[in-house]
Amino acid sequence: MLAHAGPDEGWWEAEVIGINGTVHSLRWRDYPTQPTILRRANELALLPPGKA
């Protein structure tokens, strides 16, 4: 899964750790000790198959 850190930031790989309705709980793949982030489904992008 790809998520952005902010409107002026790039896209980064994240792991989905939970889903509550349309809100996904994520943690950054490369920074697992950072706080959990929340993003709606329309704020996320999928990685191509085989890239995860």
Side-chain angles (χ1 to χ4, degrees):
M1 184 74 51
L2 294 174
H4 59 85
D8 297 327
E9 299 291 329
W11 290 81
W12 301 92
E13 289 187 41
E15 299 171 343
V16 177
I17 56 174
I19 300 173
N20 184 3
T22 62
V23 178
H24 294 64
S25 299
L26 308 164
R27 76 172 145 235
W28 299 117
R29 188 200 69 179
D30 296 333
Y31 304 98
T33 59
Q34 292 292 316
T36 300
I37 59 171
L38 302 175
R39 296 290 186 268
R40 295 198 178 278
N42 64 351
E43 299 175 306
L44 302 171
L46 297 175
L47 286 167
K51 295 289 183 180

